[in-house]
Amino acid sequence: MSSIGTFTGYNIGKSALVTSSNAEDVVGNNVANANTDGYSVENLEIGEAPPVELNSNGGTWGTGQFGTGVHSAAITRARDQFLDGSLRDAYSRKGAQDAIGKQLGTVEAVVNEPGDAGINNALNKFFDAFNDVENNPEDVGVRTAVIGAGQELTHKLRVTQSALDSSGQQIADQVNVDVSEVNGIAKQIADLNAQIRKVSSAHQQPNMLLDQRDLALDKLAKMVNIRATAQRDGTVSVNIGGTELVAGDRAQSVKLEDLVSRGHLKGGTLGGDVQALASLTDLQNRLDNLSNTMMGEVNAVHASGAGLDGSTGLPFLTGSGARDIDVNENIVKHPEKLAAAAIPETAGVLPAPGDASNAVRIFNLKDKTIELGPLTGQTMAHFYNQTVTDIGTQAAGAKSTSDLVSATVTQLETQRSATSSVNIDEEATKLIQYQRSYQAAAKVISTNDEMLNSLLGMVR
Amino acid sequence: MRITESSMIDHMRGNVQQSQDNYNTTLNQLSTGKKINQVSDDPVAASKSLAVRSMIADMDHYQRNAQAGKLFLQYSDGQLSSVTSLIDQARQVAVAAANGGTLEDSSSATYIGQIDSIIQQVTQLANSDMDGRRIFAGTQTKTEPFTQDDPIHAYHGDDGALTSTVAPGVNIRLNESGQTIFAPIFSALESLKADIRNGDYNSISTNDIGAVDAGLQGVLNARAQIGTKLNQISDTSDRIQSSQVHLQDQLSSLEDTDLATTYTQLQLSQNVYQASLASTAKALQHSLIDYLH
């Protein structure tokens, strides 16, 4: 008769004790990490111990396999790789829109429209002031008012442009920090790849390392659009829109210029910041275009008129763009040089002091449809309003898209959490379950012991 | 679905933030009285509001011009009305002189004195100024168009126009030409004076009375034109005023918070915010652990 050994019962009991105890440890670890970022709930996979074969020759129990207990097969983590991919896409999109919304929000605060303090209002007042000259061209006070309105407008253009300069600088600095952080995270992922490959090759589950790598990939996805592909050796390779970032244990240091020139940068806070920077540069260029057109138009008419003192050919505005546009210093010092009048037909004669015809011509530029350059087909005020509206529309678009993507992110995070997060009630249930198993296993051992005692008592 | 503590907490945090944000937005709209504080709050409305603001500024500006133009015209009319009564006096002198037949030297001297005084006063009126602007000198507003005691009454102004822009593209000439109005008057008065001095009564009744009447007619014509322009300005400025009201309404509906609706929204968002705070405070107070002993 081939039978199982006398002490097998002890061993089965012992395996149950050990396994239950292991399971309690896994539960303990889950509870401990319930609030750990990126932690995936772990589960002890419990397997049957290999059975022994029983012979049937004369045995009373017949033929069969006899179980020898239990063992801990593996500790696995609950994770859905497909959800991770979708969620990272959503993170990239949300990151981009949030960044655009945030940066353009700052730009909007600088532009400060619609309101009485904006450029729109100053532009109106500037041209209207030229028309006010018509009511009293002889009066130096009216001329001073025109110069004042000119100074207010040019001051607003300069202040706006320089505030936008510093906003742009802040975004550019942020972008540089972000690029080095992307490269830092890439390095971290490559290191984790190497460790994971080593552990996996020893047929172990590197759960903590995987969690860390997933967390790093999430963080990276928030900054830039990435695609992470799992490889057979346990590593993931990462690329940004086609530019390789991580392959195995190597991280490629990426440069912003390359990503931009290849058109690979499409999402994440980095992508959003770069896009916001482009919008901001466009806005600044348009303010320059407005300033230069205004200088061209106003100066051409102003130079073709004459001041009270007969001076002619003077530009009213000076500068080379929105950064340095200003009222001609000479006219500020000598308001009588403001060319409100037409040049007298007789040479050497001072213009009539009541002649405001040139000032009215400058005023009429307000509603002139510009025929040259970037403002072609628009009046200056239309162009400015269009420019401001464009920025507002982009900011509003970013905000509403972000709201939309936020809903997707929340949805996916809920799903991921449903798979991977720790539920305390569930762990508490397992705690009781394994406690009971442990108690039962102890009972098996003590019963076995009693049985053996009875046997030994027989022979005494 | 398997719900976990962390996802519940995330949700609650997100919801509290959202309701706080809504509450803050409505509160902002009420405290500023504006529903558009930035272009991105409503780009379409903001773009319209920028255009409407420009138009309102334009209208205000045209109203100011109309006001200034009106004052100028009314003042000119007042001065010309005085000229009218002076010419009437000159005509009475002329009629009296013509009917007087053989005049005593003394009465002829009285008539001449009266005419001289009228010439002096008309010259003063022709030199009228408004805030330092000569109103009958064309654009030579700093020059007296006529000099007192100048027997030929030479005109020192020009025929330039003083204008006012009272509506888009509507540029009204305000000043009447001093030359056209006053030259015939001066010449009629001078000739009357000479005929009285020379005792040429025939010429007074055949030429001078007619010339004085023609001068009067010239003034009346100018005043009629001023009247027409005043009407034109009034009409334009009435029209602008009504479009100002309309534009203000439009701006208000674009930018201003609708108090009734927003206040209701505030109540609602406040309730939601309070409810989300209350439910968050109550949540996660229990777990299975509480019941294990």
mmCIF file with all atom_site columns, all heavy atoms in Angstrom, chain A residues 16-30:
data_model
loop_
_atom_site.group_PDB
_atom_site.id
_atom_site.type_symbol
_atom_site.label_atom_id
_atom_site.label_alt_id
_atom_site.label_comp_id
_atom_site.label_asym_id
_atom_site.label_entity_id
_atom_site.label_seq_id
_atom_site.pdbx_PDB_ins_code
_atom_site.Cartn_x
_atom_site.Cartn_y
_atom_site.Cartn_z
_atom_site.occupancy
_atom_site.B_iso_or_equiv
_atom_site.pdbx_formal_charge
_atom_site.auth_seq_id
_atom_site.auth_comp_id
_atom_site.auth_asym_id
_atom_site.auth_atom_id
_atom_site.pdbx_PDB_model_num
ATOM 1   N N   . ALA A 1 16 ? -1.012 25.763 4.732  1.00 0.00 ? 16 ALA A N   1
ATOM 2   C CA  . ALA A 1 16 ? -2.183 26.642 4.830  1.00 0.00 ? 16 ALA A CA  1
ATOM 3   C C   . ALA A 1 16 ? -1.887 27.824 5.744  1.00 0.00 ? 16 ALA A C   1
ATOM 4   O O   . ALA A 1 16 ? -2.259 28.963 5.456  1.00 0.00 ? 16 ALA A O   1
ATOM 5   C CB  . ALA A 1 16 ? -3.377 25.849 5.339  1.00 0.00 ? 16 ALA A CB  1
ATOM 6   N N   . LEU A 1 17 ? -1.196 27.531 6.854  1.00 0.00 ? 17 LEU A N   1
ATOM 7   C CA  . LEU A 1 17 ? -0.836 28.609 7.779  1.00 0.00 ? 17 LEU A CA  1
ATOM 8   C C   . LEU A 1 17 ? 0.016  29.657 7.085  1.00 0.00 ? 17 LEU A C   1
ATOM 9   O O   . LEU A 1 17 ? -0.243 30.856 7.171  1.00 0.00 ? 17 LEU A O   1
ATOM 10  C CB  . LEU A 1 17 ? -0.047 28.043 8.972  1.00 0.00 ? 17 LEU A CB  1
ATOM 11  C CG  . LEU A 1 17 ? -0.834 27.476 10.141 1.00 0.00 ? 17 LEU A CG  1
ATOM 12  C CD1 . LEU A 1 17 ? 0.141  27.056 11.256 1.00 0.00 ? 17 LEU A CD1 1
ATOM 13  C CD2 . LEU A 1 17 ? -1.813 28.499 10.679 1.00 0.00 ? 17 LEU A CD2 1
ATOM 14  N N   . VAL A 1 18 ? 1.054  29.163 6.396  1.00 0.00 ? 18 VAL A N   1
ATOM 15  C CA  . VAL A 1 18 ? 1.997  30.075 5.732  1.00 0.00 ? 18 VAL A CA  1
ATOM 16  C C   . VAL A 1 18 ? 1.273  30.900 4.665  1.00 0.00 ? 18 VAL A C   1
ATOM 17  O O   . VAL A 1 18 ? 1.433  32.124 4.579  1.00 0.00 ? 18 VAL A O   1
ATOM 18  C CB  . VAL A 1 18 ? 3.175  29.278 5.119  1.00 0.00 ? 18 VAL A CB  1
ATOM 19  C CG1 . VAL A 1 18 ? 4.015  30.153 4.210  1.00 0.00 ? 18 VAL A CG1 1
ATOM 20  C CG2 . VAL A 1 18 ? 4.025  28.679 6.229  1.00 0.00 ? 18 VAL A CG2 1
ATOM 21  N N   . THR A 1 19 ? 0.446  30.223 3.848  1.00 0.00 ? 19 THR A N   1
ATOM 22  C CA  . THR A 1 19 ? -0.222 30.913 2.746  1.00 0.00 ? 19 THR A CA  1
ATOM 23  C C   . THR A 1 19 ? -1.195 31.969 3.274  1.00 0.00 ? 19 THR A C   1
ATOM 24  O O   . THR A 1 19 ? -1.232 33.101 2.789  1.00 0.00 ? 19 THR A O   1
ATOM 25  C CB  . THR A 1 19 ? -0.953 29.903 1.849  1.00 0.00 ? 19 THR A CB  1
ATOM 26  O OG1 . THR A 1 19 ? -0.026 28.887 1.472  1.00 0.00 ? 19 THR A OG1 1
ATOM 27  C CG2 . THR A 1 19 ? -1.507 30.580 0.606  1.00 0.00 ? 19 THR A CG2 1
ATOM 28  N N   . SER A 1 20 ? -1.968 31.592 4.324  1.00 0.00 ? 20 SER A N   1
ATOM 29  C CA  . SER A 1 20 ? -2.900 32.566 4.893  1.00 0.00 ? 20 SER A CA  1
ATOM 30  C C   . SER A 1 20 ? -2.148 33.760 5.453  1.00 0.00 ? 20 SER A C   1
ATOM 31  O O   . SER A 1 20 ? -2.561 34.929 5.294  1.00 0.00 ? 20 SER A O   1
ATOM 32  C CB  . SER A 1 20 ? -3.732 31.952 6.017  1.00 0.00 ? 20 SER A CB  1
ATOM 33  O OG  . SER A 1 20 ? -4.445 30.863 5.533  1.00 0.00 ? 20 SER A OG  1
ATOM 34  N N   . SER A 1 21 ? -1.046 33.450 6.074  1.00 0.00 ? 21 SER A N   1
ATOM 35  C CA  . SER A 1 21 ? -0.231 34.525 6.640  1.00 0.00 ? 21 SER A CA  1
ATOM 36  C C   . SER A 1 21 ? 0.300  35.427 5.536  1.00 0.00 ? 21 SER A C   1
ATOM 37  O O   . SER A 1 21 ? 0.289  36.660 5.647  1.00 0.00 ? 21 SER A O   1
ATOM 38  C CB  . SER A 1 21 ? 0.886  33.890 7.462  1.00 0.00 ? 21 SER A CB  1
ATOM 39  O OG  . SER A 1 21 ? 1.877  34.831 7.721  1.00 0.00 ? 21 SER A OG  1
ATOM 40  N N   . ASN A 1 22 ? 0.755  34.816 4.409  1.00 0.00 ? 22 ASN A N   1
ATOM 41  C CA  . ASN A 1 22 ? 1.209  35.600 3.256  1.00 0.00 ? 22 ASN A CA  1
ATOM 42  C C   . ASN A 1 22 ? 0.081  36.489 2.735  1.00 0.00 ? 22 ASN A C   1
ATOM 43  O O   . ASN A 1 22 ? 0.290  37.667 2.430  1.00 0.00 ? 22 ASN A O   1
ATOM 44  C CB  . ASN A 1 22 ? 1.655  34.679 2.107  1.00 0.00 ? 22 ASN A CB  1
ATOM 45  C CG  . ASN A 1 22 ? 3.026  34.076 2.388  1.00 0.00 ? 22 ASN A CG  1
ATOM 46  O OD1 . ASN A 1 22 ? 3.740  34.521 3.295  1.00 0.00 ? 22 ASN A OD1 1
ATOM 47  N ND2 . ASN A 1 22 ? 3.388  33.042 1.626  1.00 0.00 ? 22 ASN A ND2 1
ATOM 48  N N   . ALA A 1 23 ? -1.091 35.870 2.641  1.00 0.00 ? 23 ALA A N   1
ATOM 49  C CA  . ALA A 1 23 ? -2.237 36.615 2.108  1.00 0.00 ? 23 ALA A CA  1
ATOM 50  C C   . ALA A 1 23 ? -2.552 37.811 3.005  1.00 0.00 ? 23 ALA A C   1
ATOM 51  O O   . ALA A 1 23 ? -2.850 38.917 2.514  1.00 0.00 ? 23 ALA A O   1
ATOM 52  C CB  . ALA A 1 23 ? -3.457 35.710 1.971  1.00 0.00 ? 23 ALA A CB  1
ATOM 53  N N   . GLU A 1 24 ? -2.460 37.606 4.342  1.00 0.00 ? 24 GLU A N   1
ATOM 54  C CA  . GLU A 1 24 ? -2.691 38.722 5.268  1.00 0.00 ? 24 GLU A CA  1
ATOM 55  C C   . GLU A 1 24 ? -1.649 39.821 5.042  1.00 0.00 ? 24 GLU A C   1
ATOM 56  O O   . GLU A 1 24 ? -1.957 41.009 5.120  1.00 0.00 ? 24 GLU A O   1
ATOM 57  C CB  . GLU A 1 24 ? -2.614 38.251 6.734  1.00 0.00 ? 24 GLU A CB  1
ATOM 58  C CG  . GLU A 1 24 ? -3.724 37.321 7.167  1.00 0.00 ? 24 GLU A CG  1
ATOM 59  C CD  . GLU A 1 24 ? -5.074 38.001 7.374  1.00 0.00 ? 24 GLU A CD  1
ATOM 60  O OE1 . GLU A 1 24 ? -5.292 39.067 6.769  1.00 0.00 ? 24 GLU A OE1 1
ATOM 61  O OE2 . GLU A 1 24 ? -5.904 37.461 8.115  1.00 0.00 ? 24 GLU A OE2 1
ATOM 62  N N   . ASP A 1 25 ? -0.415 39.399 4.743  1.00 0.00 ? 25 ASP A N   1
ATOM 63  C CA  . ASP A 1 25 ? 0.633  40.404 4.486  1.00 0.00 ? 25 ASP A CA  1
ATOM 64  C C   . ASP A 1 25 ? 0.306  41.234 3.248  1.00 0.00 ? 25 ASP A C   1
ATOM 65  O O   . ASP A 1 25 ? 0.508  42.452 3.233  1.00 0.00 ? 25 ASP A O   1
ATOM 66  C CB  . ASP A 1 25 ? 1.993  39.711 4.297  1.00 0.00 ? 25 ASP A CB  1
ATOM 67  C CG  . ASP A 1 25 ? 2.506  39.145 5.620  1.00 0.00 ? 25 ASP A CG  1
ATOM 68  O OD1 . ASP A 1 25 ? 1.939  39.548 6.680  1.00 0.00 ? 25 ASP A OD1 1
ATOM 69  O OD2 . ASP A 1 25 ? 3.423  38.316 5.603  1.00 0.00 ? 25 ASP A OD2 1
ATOM 70  N N   . VAL A 1 26 ? -0.193 40.560 2.189  1.00 0.00 ? 26 VAL A N   1
ATOM 71  C CA  . VAL A 1 26 ? -0.555 41.289 0.965  1.00 0.00 ? 26 VAL A CA  1
ATOM 72  C C   . VAL A 1 26 ? -1.682 42.273 1.271  1.00 0.00 ? 26 VAL A C   1
ATOM 73  O O   . VAL A 1 26 ? -1.636 43.438 0.858  1.00 0.00 ? 26 VAL A O   1
ATOM 74  C CB  . VAL A 1 26 ? -0.963 40.308 -0.160 1.00 0.00 ? 26 VAL A CB  1
ATOM 75  C CG1 . VAL A 1 26 ? -1.525 41.065 -1.355 1.00 0.00 ? 26 VAL A CG1 1
ATOM 76  C CG2 . VAL A 1 26 ? 0.232  39.462 -0.577 1.00 0.00 ? 26 VAL A CG2 1
ATOM 77  N N   . VAL A 1 27 ? -2.665 41.806 2.046  1.00 0.00 ? 27 VAL A N   1
ATOM 78  C CA  . VAL A 1 27 ? -3.760 42.698 2.451  1.00 0.00 ? 27 VAL A CA  1
ATOM 79  C C   . VAL A 1 27 ? -3.192 43.883 3.221  1.00 0.00 ? 27 VAL A C   1
ATOM 80  O O   . VAL A 1 27 ? -3.535 45.046 2.969  1.00 0.00 ? 27 VAL A O   1
ATOM 81  C CB  . VAL A 1 27 ? -4.803 41.941 3.309  1.00 0.00 ? 27 VAL A CB  1
ATOM 82  C CG1 . VAL A 1 27 ? -5.785 42.924 3.947  1.00 0.00 ? 27 VAL A CG1 1
ATOM 83  C CG2 . VAL A 1 27 ? -5.540 40.923 2.467  1.00 0.00 ? 27 VAL A CG2 1
ATOM 84  N N   . GLY A 1 28 ? -2.282 43.565 4.139  1.00 0.00 ? 28 GLY A N   1
ATOM 85  C CA  . GLY A 1 28 ? -1.661 44.634 4.936  1.00 0.00 ? 28 GLY A CA  1
ATOM 86  C C   . GLY A 1 28 ? -0.971 45.651 4.052  1.00 0.00 ? 28 GLY A C   1
ATOM 87  O O   . GLY A 1 28 ? -1.113 46.867 4.245  1.00 0.00 ? 28 GLY A O   1
ATOM 88  N N   . ASN A 1 29 ? -0.261 45.168 3.047  1.00 0.00 ? 29 ASN A N   1
ATOM 89  C CA  . ASN A 1 29 ? 0.443  46.059 2.127  1.00 0.00 ? 29 ASN A CA  1
ATOM 90  C C   . ASN A 1 29 ? -0.545 46.921 1.342  1.00 0.00 ? 29 ASN A C   1
ATOM 91  O O   . ASN A 1 29 ? -0.323 48.114 1.131  1.00 0.00 ? 29 ASN A O   1
ATOM 92  C CB  . ASN A 1 29 ? 1.307  45.225 1.172  1.00 0.00 ? 29 ASN A CB  1
ATOM 93  C CG  . ASN A 1 29 ? 2.295  46.090 0.432  1.00 0.00 ? 29 ASN A CG  1
ATOM 94  O OD1 . ASN A 1 29 ? 2.967  46.926 1.046  1.00 0.00 ? 29 ASN A OD1 1
ATOM 95  N ND2 . ASN A 1 29 ? 2.361  45.915 -0.886 1.00 0.00 ? 29 ASN A ND2 1
ATOM 96  N N   . ASN A 1 30 ? -1.658 46.308 0.928  1.00 0.00 ? 30 ASN A N   1
ATOM 97  C CA  . ASN A 1 30 ? -2.699 47.062 0.210  1.00 0.00 ? 30 ASN A CA  1
ATOM 98  C C   . ASN A 1 30 ? -3.253 48.178 1.086  1.00 0.00 ? 30 ASN A C   1
ATOM 99  O O   . ASN A 1 30 ? -3.395 49.316 0.634  1.00 0.00 ? 30 ASN A O   1
ATOM 100 C CB  . ASN A 1 30 ? -3.838 46.142 -0.209 1.00 0.00 ? 30 ASN A CB  1
ATOM 101 C CG  . ASN A 1 30 ? -3.470 45.308 -1.429 1.00 0.00 ? 30 ASN A CG  1
ATOM 102 O OD1 . ASN A 1 30 ? -2.527 45.657 -2.144 1.00 0.00 ? 30 ASN A OD1 1
ATOM 103 N ND2 . ASN A 1 30 ? -4.174 44.216 -1.639 1.00 0.00 ? 30 ASN A ND2 1
#
